[in-house]
Amino acid sequence: MTTMPEIVSNSIQSDTLDLFVDLDGTLIAGDIAQESLAQATRDPQVFRDAVLGYVSGGLSGLKRSLAENAAPDVATLPYREEVLDYLRVARNSGRRIVLATATDITIARQVAAHLGLFDDVIGTVPGRNLKGAAKLEAIREMAQGPFEYLGDSDADIPVWRVAEKSGFVSPSPAARREMERSADSVSFQLDKEMTTAAALIKAMRPHQWAKNVLVFVPILFAHEYMHFDVLVAGILAFVCFSLCASGVYLINDIADIQSDRRHATKHKRPFAAGHLSIRHGLMAAVVLLASAVFGAFILVNVLFGVVITGYAILTSAYTFLLKRFSTIDVVALSLLYTVRILAGSAATLLAPSPWLLSFSLFFFLSLAYMKRYIELDGISSTEVEDVRLPSRNYYASELQLVLTFGIANGALSILTLAQYVNSTSVYAYYATPFMLWLIVPVMMFWIYRSWTWASRGKIGDDPVVFALRDNISRVCVATILLIIITSRSVDISWVAS
């Protein structure tokens, strides 16, 4: 559950104690070293340098390498406003404030310069990882007598036990026990804004599971929905795909932390906002992906297991490589939706229709271009002449080109649908095939309405999510299903006779 943070502040601000403040987890919600390491995995050379830094210099060597090659933009870090307010009051009262962190000192100095609240900085340097007892030693060397310390984790316990006054920010379980033990010396307390469980569930994006209903499409068009074993296979495929998709979302958000922080809405995602640690996210991702793959092979069948493994590989390739290339990225996105249909066919052993696959490719390619169009439209008004999308190879000047590609592929999907309903294939499955023509104007209405709304800025970040939440889109889906079922079950040929 999400709760408002609890803030407790005693009358320590009138004192003259030096104030030492931790960075990771305290001043910011997040861990710079973990984020930098995640960023380093996206560049083989940077990652290799990080490994060599660790081999030659341990943790301090690793942090220095990451600081030099994968440092975050300090201006976009998720600073805790409540802590900043506390520091401003302390600074206004003339107290000496020192940033004391295990982060590499080069990044710590950048943070201090950005905020303009600190009189001095101590941090990790090559050969000295400033954590736990090492941090306490450095603080003692700099402190001008008794001091106050603000921290968050187990590693801060040795410092709290020596400090005259102690501040606890989103404390770990062990840190909370220390806070309760030394309640009389607590000067500041800020509890978590969001629990780890709530943040994890949000990062898993369960609302996106609705996309996985595509695994049922082969069952619908093969008209096998009255067979219990086929439905069970479809349900199991849906569950496995949802677990796999959530695992992929976690990995994708970890890789995109720094770019998400520069986004108008994505900066609120749990990793970017610092509500969920990378360590917890990676552990959850491994469990979800392993459960999905093993469940696919054991509970469904080998063919479905191969397809879902291929989906995981393709999504990983998209996250770490393909999204950097224009055109390739949108084709990959459309394939990820089409793979869901193939997965449904594999799980139920129902051969996919070539018509269905062709329609799917064009339709979802149109939506992928719509997503890029929305992102480009959001930056096209900038004063920079040809600004580029973060982590994407698209420029504001290409807005109309992306619009053209998107509408063209939407039209191709309608044309493919029209050719299908006019083909001899429909006569084997439908009692009244010509009724399927009614689907064509419904799809024309939905696609062109969606593009019109996208041009008006009414779609949001994701057109698929928009479709799931939009009432008119739901009516269109219900209408199409009604047409299919009626055409399948109602024979009106007697009218002509």
Side-chain angles (χ1 to χ4, degrees):
M1 61 178 292
T2 302
T3 59
M4 292 298 294
E6 178 187 355
I7 306 173
V8 177
S9 181
N10 295 334
S11 58
I12 186 63
Q13 294 290 9
S14 61
D15 291 348
T16 58
L17 296 178
D18 287 350
L19 176 56
F20 290 84
V21 185
D22 184 32
L23 176 58
D24 295 324
T26 303
L27 183 62
I28 66 168
D31 187 295
I32 290 177
Q34 290 184 21
E35 293 175 12
S36 298
L37 186 58
Q39 182 70 16
T41 61
R42 305 184 63 171
D43 187 324
Q45 180 62 47
V46 173
F47 185 74
R48 185 178 67 178
D49 290 344
V51 173
L52 292 176
Y54 177 75
V55 171
S56 61
L59 285 175
S60 62
L62 171 65
K63 291 178 180 180
R64 175 51 56 93
S65 177
L66 293 174
E68 292 174 346
N69 302 304
D73 179 1
V74 298
T76 64
L77 291 174
Y79 295 100
R80 298 187 189 272
E81 283 301 322
E82 298 85 355
V83 176
L84 291 178
D85 289 342
Y86 187 76
L87 299 185
R88 293 184 185 107
V89 173
R91 186 170 183 82
N92 290 337
S93 65
R95 298 177 62 190
R96 180 170 177 246
I97 308 176
V98 179
L99 183 60
T101 175
T103 299
D104 188 86
I105 196 167
T106 57
I107 297 178
R109 286 171 176 162
Q110 293 173 20
V111 170
H114 172 69
L115 295 176
L117 292 172
F118 297 96
D119 298 291
D120 214 331
V121 177
I122 56 176
T124 292
V125 296
R128 190 185 189 190
N129 184 37
L130 211 70
K131 190 171 184 178
K135 179 185 286 189
L136 174 58
E137 181 182 354
I139 289 175
R140 279 174 161 166
E141 292 172 358
M142 181 173 287
Q144 299 172 356
F147 63 89
E148 178 185 0
Y149 178 75
L150 267 60
D152 68 289
S153 69
D154 302 11
D156 295 319
I157 292 177
V159 186
W160 279 318
R161 289 183 175 174
V162 175
E164 181 76 14
K165 293 291 183 179
S166 302
F168 295 80
V169 179
S170 187
S172 64
R176 185 171 293 277
R177 290 192 294 271
E178 177 65 22
M179 180 181 67
E180 294 169 352
R181 187 191 68 81
S182 57
D184 293 341
S185 64
V186 174
S187 58
F188 181 87
Q189 178 187 343
L190 177 65
D191 285 337
K192 284 186 177 182
E193 180 179 330
M194 181 180 293
T195 64
T196 299
L200 180 58
I201 291 173
K202 182 178 180 181
M204 288 171 60
R205 305 187 212 175
H207 63 281
Q208 299 274 17
W209 292 353
K211 297 177 181 179
N212 300 324
V213 298
L214 288 172
V215 300
F216 294 103
V217 169
I219 301 176
L220 174 64
F221 284 97
H223 304 287
E224 296 289 338
Y225 33 78
M226 300 303 292
H227 293 81
F228 179 76
D229 56 335
V230 173
L231 284 178
V232 170
I235 293 171
L236 290 174
F238 175 83
V239 172
C240 289
F241 228 98
S242 297
L243 295 176
C244 182
S246 287
V248 169
Y249 290 144
L250 294 176
I251 293 175
N252 180 76
D253 286 357
I254 289 172
D256 286 348
I257 285 178
Q258 296 187 27
S259 60
D260 283 351
R261 284 184 179 149
R262 296 189 292 270
H263 194 274
T265 57
K266 292 180 181 180
H267 71 277
K268 297 179 181 179
R269 287 178 173 176
F271 290 109
H275 298 316
L276 184 62
S277 72
I278 291 177
R279 179 171 60 87
H280 287 141
L282 286 176
M283 291 171 58
V286 170
V287 171
L288 289 168
L289 289 172
S291 299
V293 172
F294 283 112
F297 278 103
I298 296 173
L299 299 179
V300 187
N301 59 52
V302 173
L303 182 58
F304 175 69
V306 171
V307 173
I308 202 171
T309 301
Y311 171 83
I313 293 173
L314 179 58
T315 51
S316 298
Y318 174 80
T319 295
F320 293 101
L321 180 63
L322 300 181
K323 66 167 59 176
R324 303 177 189 175
F325 303 98
S326 60
T327 307
I328 293 178
D329 68 323
V330 289
V331 172
L333 278 177
S334 67
L335 285 173
L336 289 175
Y337 285 103
T338 304
V339 167
R340 287 172 164 88
I341 297 175
L342 289 173
S345 295
T348 57
L349 300 179
L350 297 171
S353 165
W355 291 105
L356 176 61
L357 296 180
S358 298
F359 170 82
S360 174
L361 281 172
F362 290 129
F363 178 73
F364 288 112
L365 186 55
S366 178
L367 296 189
Y369 271 118
M370 186 183 296
K371 185 177 177 68
R372 293 292 175 263
Y373 173 83
I374 292 168
E375 294 171 341
L376 284 173
D377 191 44
I379 65 170
S380 60
S381 59
T382 181
E383 295 180 1
V384 180
E385 182 176 350
D386 199 12
V387 64
R388 174 178 170 178
L389 278 178
S391 303
R392 304 287 191 275
N393 192 27
Y394 291 89
Y395 294 84
S397 61
E398 298 169 345
L399 181 67
Q400 292 303 312
L401 184 64
V402 170
L403 174 67
T404 302
F405 288 159
I407 294 176
N409 279 282
L412 285 172
S413 69
I414 295 171
L415 178 61
T416 303
L417 176 62
Q419 289 179 321
Y420 168 69
V421 300
N422 194 41
S423 70
T424 56
S425 303
V426 299
Y427 291 94
Y429 294 103
Y430 298 93
T432 313
F434 75 86
M435 286 188 65
L436 294 175
W437 272 106
L438 297 174
I439 298 177
V440 177
V442 175
M443 286 300 303
M444 290 174 66
F445 163 76
W446 188 88
I447 289 174
Y448 294 134
R449 170 183 177 266
S450 297
W451 272 104
T452 300
W453 278 44
S455 68
R456 297 175 182 174
K458 295 184 177 181
I459 294 293
D461 294 331
D462 191 335
V464 176
V465 173
F466 162 78
L468 296 173
R469 297 175 176 174
D470 176 49
N471 288 331
I472 293 180
S473 298
R474 294 170 182 170
V475 171
C476 290
V477 172
T479 302
I480 291 172
L481 291 175
L482 180 62
I483 293 171
I484 292 173
I485 294 173
T486 303
S487 179
R488 166 73 174 175
S489 56
V490 178
D491 184 359
I492 60 173
S493 59
W494 57 272
V495 175
S497 60

